[in-house]
Amino acid sequence: MTSLVSGLQGVPPEEHPNGYPFVAGRNNVVACVKHFVGDGGTDKGINEGNTIASYEELEKIHIPPYLKCLAQGVSTVMASYSSWNGTRLHADRFLLTEILKEKLGFKGFLVSDWEGLDRLSEPQGSNYRYCIKTAVNAGIDMVMVPFKYEQFIQDMTDLVESGEIPMARINDAVERILRVKFVAGLFGHPLTDRSLLPTVGCKEHRELAQEAVRKSLVLLKNGKNADKPFLPLDRNAKRILVTGTHADDLGYQCGGWTKTWFGLSGRITIGTTLLDAIKEAVGDETEVIYEKTPSKETLASSEGFSYAIVAVGEPPYAETMGDNSELRIPFNGTDIVTAVAEIIPTLVILISGRPVVLEPTVLEKTEALVAAWLPGTEGQGVADVVFGDYDFKGKLPVSWFKHVEHLPLDAHANSYDPLFPFGFGLNSKPV
């Protein structure tokens, strides 16, 4: 995903110095790579947790993506809420200054996370003066202070005047911030170009998002027998059932950080739900029956359906709200799947931000299973593939566990025995 940097900032010329910020022009924006460093390796995957690892492991596993970002001229780096071997990253001078700035040569600015300094004391936000001193001396250049900015300004000023924060540290931070602002052209053009607004969410953007959905889908199962694939679906089937909590919910497709911090349910923005896309994809003679939860009457008349599409998955979440020690399909998703799959040939489309527990009944009774992740506003991308206009290309970016007690999984361990291995992904069309 490090290519997002050049997608936002533009591609720097070959002679551009490594670690120096780069922004191509007014049609580009400053990128921020986060959260430095190891936030994806916390013990038990807990948000804002503790990454227990040697520096060698940190350098081997967690730092490499930052090297690729620095090579593209990323302008800013955000420190992580998480800790490394018990030390909070916002207070870790070794990693922030000695490694990121000095060893790796990062010349942009380092920004704190939202109220990141407050988390350096217990209870959170107490002894704020200590929090500021510790973080700024560790290497934080810009501080995200959403509320108590007046206290921050006063305490920061006192700390500099007393010499507890050296003036050299302030000069370094200001130099870095100004460097990025000059590179971004803010002193020549301090205001945004409002004429660019109509391009946001334009047809070209949506087509690109739709392509991303098509390429990210992972086919986990296709037919109960390998020689008899279930996909692609027959778009001219006489009658099909579409059901499940996620079949017609744009907010669920988008997940967290969409419209609101934790995300929302419903038609929260402009886009295409899975149901919208199915109706658009099938033939004129195909009858689509939709029920969020399949009724007894509908299931009783199951013989009239050629197949069913059941979309289940997670509700939107962000950060700590997403911490989950069970990782089961919410909203009785497993029950909905098995109730339908027992009597109708069924494709399950799983909409989630991560692997979840797939009960044996789900795997055994369903004909096909697709991990659609969070397709966002472009549900059409899912229909494009399941109806055969495009083939599946996605591969698992993580190992899919059998049960939560199985975690963490190490693909290099002798005991490695996942439900689906790292890199797994079927094709729907025979080669």
Side-chain angles (χ1 to χ4, degrees):
M1 293 187 70
T2 57
S3 58
L4 279 170
V5 173
S6 56
L8 292 168
Q9 297 187 162
V11 179
E14 288 187 11
E15 66 274 12
H16 187 79
N18 186 66
Y20 199 90
F22 173 82
V23 181
R26 295 195 70 197
N27 287 3
N28 298 89
V29 294
V30 165
C32 180
V33 56
K34 56 187 187 176
H35 300 85
F36 193 82
V37 59
D39 60 329
T42 60
D43 186 36
K44 296 181 177 62
I46 294 173
N47 185 53
E48 302 185 29
N50 185 30
T51 300
I52 304 168
S54 65
Y55 175 71
E56 289 71 26
E57 290 172 313
L58 206 68
E59 192 172 48
K60 179 182 178 181
I61 298 170
H62 299 284
I63 287 179
Y66 291 89
L67 301 179
K68 293 185 178 181
C69 292
L70 294 177
Q72 295 176 77
V74 71
S75 296
T76 72
V77 175
M78 183 179 288
S80 180
Y81 283 142
S82 60
S83 302
W84 175 47
N85 294 332
T87 300
R88 289 197 175 271
L89 263 296
H90 278 71
D92 198 319
R93 188 181 187 281
F94 170 71
L95 290 177
L96 299 184
T97 297
E98 294 181 35
I99 299 301
L100 178 62
K101 292 182 175 180
E102 295 173 2
K103 182 179 179 179
L104 304 184
F106 174 57
K107 300 299 183 186
F109 69 78
L110 185 58
V111 61
S112 81
D113 207 332
W114 172 285
E115 290 189 324
L117 273 58
D118 299 58
R119 287 162 164 77
L120 299 182
S121 61
E122 293 293 341
Q124 188 170 305
S126 61
N127 197 354
Y128 196 47
R129 198 173 189 274
Y130 161 81
C131 297
I132 297 172
K133 174 184 174 180
T134 303
V136 173
N137 282 336
I140 298 293
D141 300 309
M142 180 180 284
V143 183
M144 200 188 312
V145 185
F147 304 117
K148 49 186 182 185
Y149 56 90
E150 291 176 336
Q151 182 184 348
F152 173 84
I153 292 170
Q154 180 180 330
D155 288 345
M156 183 74 181
T157 303
D158 291 344
L159 286 164
V160 175
E161 290 177 346
S162 69
E164 294 173 76
I165 294 179
M167 200 63 207
R169 175 74 272 274
I170 300 301
N171 289 338
D172 174 59
V174 171
E175 179 182 337
R176 289 169 176 275
I177 293 167
L178 289 177
R179 179 181 293 128
V180 170
K181 289 187 175 184
F182 274 112
V183 164
L186 289 182
F187 291 100
H189 301 281
L191 303 179
T192 56
D193 184 352
R194 310 297 282 187
S195 68
L196 297 173
L197 274 175
T199 66
V200 178
C202 65
K203 184 174 183 290
E204 183 183 5
H205 288 184
R206 293 184 181 277
E207 288 174 350
L208 186 61
Q210 187 175 333
E211 179 186 347
V213 173
R214 291 196 297 262
K215 291 180 176 179
S216 64
L217 302 175
V218 180
L219 181 58
L220 299 176
K221 179 182 179 181
N222 188 19
K224 293 179 180 178
N225 298 309
D227 58 347
K228 191 178 179 183
F230 187 67
L231 299 177
L233 298 174
D234 178 7
R235 66 175 73 241
N236 293 311
K238 185 175 181 181
R239 193 166 183 253
I240 65 175
L241 173 65
V242 179
T243 187
T245 51
H246 289 57
D248 192 32
D249 197 308
L250 204 58
Y252 281 3
Q253 287 181 192
C254 291
W257 287 109
T258 307
K259 286 287 188 178
T260 65
W261 182 3
F262 300 121
L264 296 166
S265 174
R267 203 164 284 271
I268 61 172
T269 185
I270 299 170
T272 304
T273 67
L274 185 58
L275 178 63
D276 295 334
I278 292 168
K279 288 181 175 179
E280 183 69 25
V282 297
D284 294 338
E285 303 299 317
T286 301
E287 182 184 7
V288 178
I289 304 298
Y290 166 69
E291 293 178 354
K292 184 175 181 179
T293 303
S295 64
K296 292 180 180 178
E297 293 76 17
T298 297
L299 294 178
S301 61
S302 60
E303 292 182 3
F305 293 109
S306 300
Y307 57 82
I309 300 173
V310 182
V312 292
E314 296 186 298
Y317 54 80
E319 301 186 27
T320 304
M321 288 288 287
D323 285 349
N324 185 325
S325 60
E326 296 183 348
L327 294 175
R328 298 190 179 277
I329 303 175
F331 312 119
N332 297 317
T334 296
D335 294 338
I336 293 174
V337 169
T338 52
V340 176
E342 279 181 343
I343 53 179
I344 307 172
T346 296
L347 161 65
V348 172
I349 296 175
L350 184 62
I351 295 178
S352 66
R354 58 200 163 190
V356 293
V357 175
L358 295 173
E359 299 289 352
T361 52
V362 170
L363 292 170
E364 293 165 7
K365 293 181 182 298
T366 58
E367 289 283 348
L369 176 61
V370 173
W373 312 114
L374 298 174
T377 60
E378 306 311 307
Q380 186 64 49
V382 181
D384 289 344
V385 180
V386 299
F387 284 102
D389 293 329
Y390 297 83
D391 197 5
F392 287 87
K393 294 181 179 293
K395 306 297 180 184
L396 285 181
V398 292
S399 302
W400 201 295
F401 55 89
K402 292 180 177 177
H403 44 77
V404 291
E405 292 77 18
H406 204 199
L407 295 170
L409 281 174
D410 181 355
H412 302 291
N414 291 332
S415 59
Y416 184 62
D417 183 30
L419 184 63
F420 299 106
F422 174 81
F424 181 82
L426 302 172
N427 300 109
S428 59
K429 297 178 181 177
V431 177

